[in-house]
C-alpha cells in the first residue's frame, strides 16, 4: 500500500510519514493553489507502505495527494509545531503557495481605446498558507527529525514549538538534530486551545456515534456557546479535563489505563506490535469467546438488577476456565472492550460529579474506530441513562498540535484566522468496513483561513439569527435521506460534462486547460463515488456540501471562475434593458407594481447556470430572455405563497433597513433585484446588498456588483441617491458558495447589520433559500424567494418545474401585534 506514488522513499521506515490532514489557510475567496513543482516526489511515498497482510481496518487518517502537491508544500514550509506524546508524535507545518484568483476591473470608458464591455476579467496570483499534519511512532523520532531538517528547516527557522511530555524528554535530541531552540508549550494549555478552536470554528467537527441508527454519524453544528464541557483525552494514558472558558480549565482526573495499555497488553497477547493492526484484529474478533457474560453466570439476564444477559460480567473471564486457545482477534476485541468500557465509566462518573452534560473524547486511541466509539457511547448511555452525551471529534488526535501551532501564530498576528473545510484536499471521515484497507478509509480535514494581513476578515454569526446555537443551515441532511442522496449524487455526476465544458471555455488562451479540466472531472467524480459509499465522509452530506466540493475541486485545478465570461456577457446584455424595465414598472399602479416587482425577482432567478434544466435552455436558445422567463413561472397560487401577507405589510410603514442576499449575475441582479431595491429605497428603507466574496457558478460577486451598481447609478437617480446618501450599501458576505450559511458571514457585514438596525432579511435563490435557510428562524421579518428549477425537487415538494416559493415570515412572538400595527 502506498501513500500516492511508487517512487522510492528516502525515509523507508514503516508508518513514519502518514500524512493525516491538509489544512489550508487562504484568502476569503477560498481559492486553491495550483503552481506545480517539476521535481519528482521522493520523500514520502514509501513512508505510507503497509503490508497487505496486516492492513488495519481502523479509520486511518492517511491522505493520498499528488506527488507535486506534497513536494511543493514541503519546499515552501514556513513554520511548524510538534506534539510528542508517550507513543506517537504529531507534526504540524504550513507552507506558502501561489494560487490563481479571478478579478474584475472596470474599464476606463473615457479612454480612446475603451472596450465596449463593462469590465475586464483577469486572473492573478495570490499567496496562501497550507497547514499539514504527519504522525509517526516515537521509535522513529530520529529519522523523522532528519525528515524535518531536510524539508522544513530553513535559514529563517530559529525556534520549534513543542508540546507534550516528549517536548521535555527529547528536547536535547531535537535541538542537536535540528539546530533549533525548542520552545516548550504547556501540554494541557495546547490541548484545550486546540479543542476550543475546533469546536468553535470547524463545522461538523463533533459527532455522536450511533452504531445501529440509519445514520451512524450524527454531526453537531458549531455552537458559539461551547462551555462548559468535559474533555477526555485518551493517549498513552487518560487525562480528564473540565473546561469552563477559554482560559479556565482544570485536570480533574485521569487513568493509567489508556491507549498505551491497549497497545502494550495487545502486543503481549497477540504478538502484534502495530497499533493499527491491533485495531484491525479487534474488528474481526468476537469478545464473547473470551469475556464472561451475565448469562454465562446466571443462565440469562439478572432482571432484579436490570442487567441483560449480554452484558460483560468479567473481561477475559472465560480464559481462566476454558481449556482452549483463543484467537488473536477475539483477545484484541475483548481487550478493546475492556479499555473502552473502563474509560467510558470513568468519564461518566466525572461528568456526573461535576454536573456536565457534554463529554468530548479525543486522542489517538479512538482513531474513529467504530467498536471503540460504540463501546464508549454504550458505556456512557448505560451509566447515565442518556443524561450525558458522548461526543467524538474528527481531528481528535491533533488537538495538542493545533494548540501549539496556534500559540506560535498568535505571537505573529493574534485573532487572524477564520476556518472552513476544503473538500478538494480532504479525504474525510470514513465509515469502516472490515474489508476496506486503511488507504480506502483515509481521513483528513482541510481548513481555510483569511489572508494573514486581513485581521478583520473573521466569519461570524448573523446577529439576527433567533438562536445561533440551534441554527442549521441545510434543509435536508442527505446522510439520513437515502432517496434524496442517491438522486443528488446522480444529478451532480450527470452535470459534470457541462461544468468541464464551461471550465475549458473560460480559458481559451490556455492550451493545458482541457487537461486540467479532465483532472477536475476525475477528482470530483471520485469524491461523488466516495460519498456514495461513505455519505458522512465530510460531515453531514447536503446539497450545499456537494456544491462546495465542486467549487473547491475547480479551484484546485486553477479554474477560479469558470462562468466569468458568461456573467460578463449577461451583465452587458441585461444593462441595456434596465431603464426600459424601470419605466414599465413606474407606469403601473402601486398594487400592480408590487406584484410585478416580486414577479421580476422570481423571473430573474430563473437565470441560474447551476440548474441543468435552465442551462440547457440558455445554451440551446440564446434569445431566451426576461419576458420568456416570466412566462415560465407558475401562476398564483404559488407552491408557497405569502404574497398577500407581504402586500399587506407593504401598505404599512417602511422597514428601517433591509439586508438582501443576492444570487445570480445578469438578468437576476440587474432586471430582477435592482428594481426591487429601488422600490425599497423609494419607500425610505435603507438597503444592504450582500453578495459573494468569491466566485461560485454564475452568482454575482461583490467586485462585479460594485461595477454594475455604479453603471446603474449613472442611469438611475434613485440608485445614485441611495449610494450618495449611504442608504444603499454593497458588502461582501464572506462566502464563495452557491448556498448560504448564516453562521459564517463576514464580520464587517454583521457590524453593518447591527449599526443599521436591520429589520428585514431577504434571501433569494434555490441555493440560499431552499437548499439552505428554508427553516432558518430570524429575530426580524424575512422574505425567502426562489424558483424551483429542478423537476425532481419540485415533484418532491408537490409542485412542478418553475414552481415558486415566496415565503414571508414575521419573527415568532411578534406576529399578532406587529401585523395589527401594520394594517392601515
Amino acid at each position: 500500500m502506498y501513500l500516492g506514488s511508487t517512487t522510492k522513499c528516502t525515509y523507508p521506515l514503516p508508518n513514519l510519514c502518514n500524512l493525516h490532514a491538509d489544512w489550508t489557510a487562504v484568502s476569503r475567496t477560498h481559492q486553491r493553489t495550483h503552481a506545480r513543482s517539476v521535481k519528482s516526489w521522493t520523500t514520502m511515498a514509501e513512508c505510507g507502505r503497509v503490508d497487505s497482510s496486516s492492513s488495519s481496518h481502523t479509520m486511518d487518517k492517511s491522505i493520498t495527494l499528488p506527488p507535486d502537491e506534497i513536494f511543493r508544500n514541503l519546499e515552501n514550509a514556513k513554520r511548524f509545531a510538534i506534539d510528542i506524546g508517550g507513543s506517537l508524535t504529531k507534526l504540524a507545518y504550513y507552507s506558502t503557495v501561489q494560487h490563481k484568483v479571478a478579478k474584475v476591473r472596470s474599464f476606463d470608458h473615457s479612454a480612446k481605446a475603451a472596450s465596449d464591455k463593462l469590465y475586464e476579467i483577469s486572473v492573478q496570483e495570490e499567496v496562501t498558507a497550507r497547514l499539514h499534519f504527519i504522525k509517526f511512532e516515537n521509535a522513529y523520532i530520529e529519522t523523522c527529525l532528519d525528515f524535518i531538517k531536510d524539508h522544513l528547516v530553513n535559514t529563517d527557522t530559529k525556534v520549534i514549538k513543542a508540546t507534550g511530555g516528549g517536548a521535555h524528554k527529547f528536547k536535547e535530541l531535537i535541538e542537536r538534530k535540528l539546530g533549533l531552540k525548542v520552545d516548550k508549550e504547556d501540554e494541557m494549555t495546547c490541548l484545550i486551545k486546540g479543542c476550543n478552536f475546533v469546536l468553535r470554528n470547524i463545522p461538523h467537527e463533533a459527532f455522536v456515534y450511533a452504531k445501529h441508527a440509519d445514520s451512524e454519524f450524527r454531526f453537531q453544528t458549531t455552537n458559539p456557546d461551547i462551555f462548559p464541557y468535559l474533555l477526555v483525552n485518551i493517549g498513552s494514558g487518560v487525562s480528564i479535563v473540565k473546561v469552563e472558558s477559554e482560559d479556565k480549565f482544570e485536570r480533574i482526573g485521569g487513568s493509567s489505563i489508556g491507549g498505551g495499555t491497549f497497545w502494550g497488553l495487545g502486543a503481549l497477547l497477540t504478538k502484534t506490535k502495530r497499533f493499527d493492526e491491533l485495531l484491525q484484529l479487534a474488528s474481526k474478533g468476537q469478545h464473547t469467546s473470551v469475556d464472561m457474560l451475565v448469562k454465562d453466570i446466571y443462565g440469562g439476564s439478572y432482571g432484579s438488577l436490570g442487567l441483560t444477559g449480554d452484558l460483560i460480567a468479567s473481561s477475559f473471564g472465560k480464559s481462566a476456565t476454558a481449556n482452549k486457545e483463543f484467537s488473536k482477534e477475539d483477545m484484541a476485541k475483548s481487550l478493546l472492550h475492556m479499555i473502552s468500557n473502563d474509560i467510558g465509566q470513568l468519564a461518566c462518573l466525572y461528568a456526573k460529579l461535576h454536573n456536565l452534560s457534554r463529554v468530548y473524547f479525543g486522542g489517538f486511541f479512538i482513531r474513529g474506530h467504530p467498536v471503540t466509539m460504540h463501546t464508549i457511547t454504550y458505556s456512557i448511555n448505560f451509566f447515565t441513562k442518556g443524561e450525558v452525551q458522548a461526543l467524538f471529534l474528527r481531528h481528535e488526535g491533533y488537538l495538542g498540535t493545533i494548540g501549539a501551532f496556534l500559540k506560535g501564530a498568535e505571537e505573529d498576528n493574534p485573532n487572524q484566522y477564520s476556518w472552513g473545510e476544503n473538500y478538494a484536499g480532504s479525504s474525510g471521515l470514513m465509515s469502516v468496513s472490515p474489508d476496506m484497507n486503511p488507504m480506502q478509509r483515509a481521513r483528513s480535514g482541510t481548513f481555510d483561513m483569511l489572508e494573514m494581513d486581513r485581521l478583520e476578515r473573521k466569519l461570524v454569526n448573523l446577529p439576527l439569527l433567533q438562536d445561533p446555537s440551534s441554527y442549521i443551515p441545510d434543509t435536508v441532511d442527505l446522510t439520513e435521506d437515502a432517496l434524496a442522496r442517491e438522486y443528488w449524487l446522480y444529478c451532480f455526476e450527470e452535470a459534470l460534462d457541462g461544468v468541464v465544458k464551461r471550465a475549458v471555455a473560460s480559458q481559451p488562451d490556455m492550451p493545458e486547460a482541457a487537461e486540467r479540466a479532465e483532472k477536475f472531472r476525475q477528482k470530483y467524480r471520485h469524491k461523488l463515488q466516495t460519498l456514495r459509499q461513505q455519505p458522512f465522509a465530510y460531515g453531514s452530506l447536503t446539497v450545499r456540501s456537494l456544491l462546495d466540493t465542486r467549487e473547491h475541486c475547480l479551484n484546485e485545478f486553477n479554474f477560479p471562475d469558470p462562468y466569468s465570461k458568461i456573467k460578463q456577457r449577461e451583465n452587458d446584455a441585461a444593462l441595456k434593458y434596465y431603464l426600459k424595465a424601470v419605466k414599465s414598472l413606474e407606469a403601473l399602479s402601486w398594487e400592480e407594481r408590487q406584484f410585478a416587482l416580486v414577479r421580476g425577482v422570481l423571473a430573474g432567478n430563473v437565470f441560474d447556470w447551476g440548474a441543468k434544466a435552465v442551462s440547457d435552455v440558455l445554451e440551446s436558445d440564446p434569445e431566451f430572455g426576461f419576458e420568456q422567463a416570466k412566462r415560465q413561472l407558475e401562476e398564483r397560487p404559488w407552491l408557497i405563497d405569502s404574497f398577500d401577507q407581504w402586500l399587506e405589510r407593504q401598505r404599512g410603514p417602511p422597514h428601517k433597513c433591509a439586508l438582501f442576499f443576492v444570487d445570480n449575475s445578469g438578468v437576476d441582479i440587474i432586471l430582477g433585484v435592482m428594481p426591487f431595491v429601488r422600490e425599497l429605497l423609494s419607500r425610505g428603507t435603507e438597503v444592504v446588498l450582500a453578495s459573494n466574496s468569491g466566485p461560485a457558478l454564475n452568482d454575482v460577486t461583490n467586485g462585479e456588483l460594485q461595477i454594475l451598481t455604479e453603471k446603474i447609478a449613472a442611469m438611475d437617480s434613485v440608485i445614485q441617491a441611495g449610494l450618495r446618501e449611504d442608504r444603499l450599501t454593497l458588502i461582501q458576505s464572506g462566502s464563495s458558495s452557491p448556498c448560504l450559511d448564516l453562521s459564517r458571514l463576514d464580520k464587517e457585514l454583521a457590524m453593518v447589520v447591527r449599526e443599521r438596525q436591520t429589520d428585514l432579511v431577504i434571501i433569494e435563490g434555490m441555493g440560499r433559500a431552499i437548499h439552505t435557510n428554508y427553516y432558518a428562524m430570524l429575530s426580524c421579518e424575512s422574505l425567502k424567494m426562489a424558483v424551483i428549477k429542478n423537476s425532481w425537487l419540485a415533484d418532491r415538494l408537490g409542485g412542478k418545474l418553475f414552481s415558486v416559493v415566496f415565503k414571508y415570515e414575521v419573527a415568532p412572538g411578534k406576529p399578532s401585534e406587529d401585523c395589527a400595527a401594520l394594517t392601515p
Side-chain angles (χ1 to χ4, degrees), residues 53 95 109 129 319 327 349 362 393 449 476 491 526 538 569 629 718 743 803:
S53 65
S95 56
H109 290 277
S319 62
S327 72
L349 293 172
L393 302 171
M449 71 179 184
V476 177
C491 182
H526 175 71
Y538 309 110
R569 183 178 69 245
V718 175
S743 69
S803 287

Side-chain angles (χ1 to χ4, degrees), residues 665-738:
S665 291
V667 172
D668 190 353
I669 186 67
I670 295 169
L671 302 183
V673 171
M674 278 304 188
F676 195 94
V677 168
R678 188 178 190 274
E679 182 77 7
L680 291 173
L681 290 170
S682 299
R683 281 172 53 83
T685 300
E686 296 180 11
V687 179
V688 177
L689 287 181
S691 54
N692 268 10
S693 301
L697 295 172
N698 66 314
D699 293 1
V700 66
T701 65
N702 184 253
E704 293 160 349
L705 186 55
Q706 296 281 349
I707 296 171
L708 292 174
T709 306
E710 180 183 349
K711 186 67 174 177
I712 291 172
M715 298 186 282
D716 188 336
S717 60
V718 175
I719 299 297
Q720 187 179 69
L723 291 173
R724 185 179 63 249
E725 297 165 7
D726 198 27
R727 293 188 299 111
L728 174 59
T729 303
L730 313 180
I731 195 165
Q732 51 191 329
S733 65
S735 172
S736 295
S737 169

Side-chain angles (χ1 to χ4, degrees), residues 322-356:
N323 185 23
K324 66 173 184 177
E325 293 290 326
F326 296 98
S327 72
K328 294 180 179 181
E329 290 82 0
D330 293 346
M331 289 189 291
K333 184 66 163 286
S334 177
L335 181 61
L336 184 62
H337 271 287
M338 184 180 77
I339 303 293
S340 299
N341 275 323
D342 183 74
I343 294 171
Q345 184 174 21
L346 195 62
C348 165
L349 293 172
Y350 276 107
K352 296 202 76 171
L353 181 64
H354 292 270
N355 196 29
L356 298 171

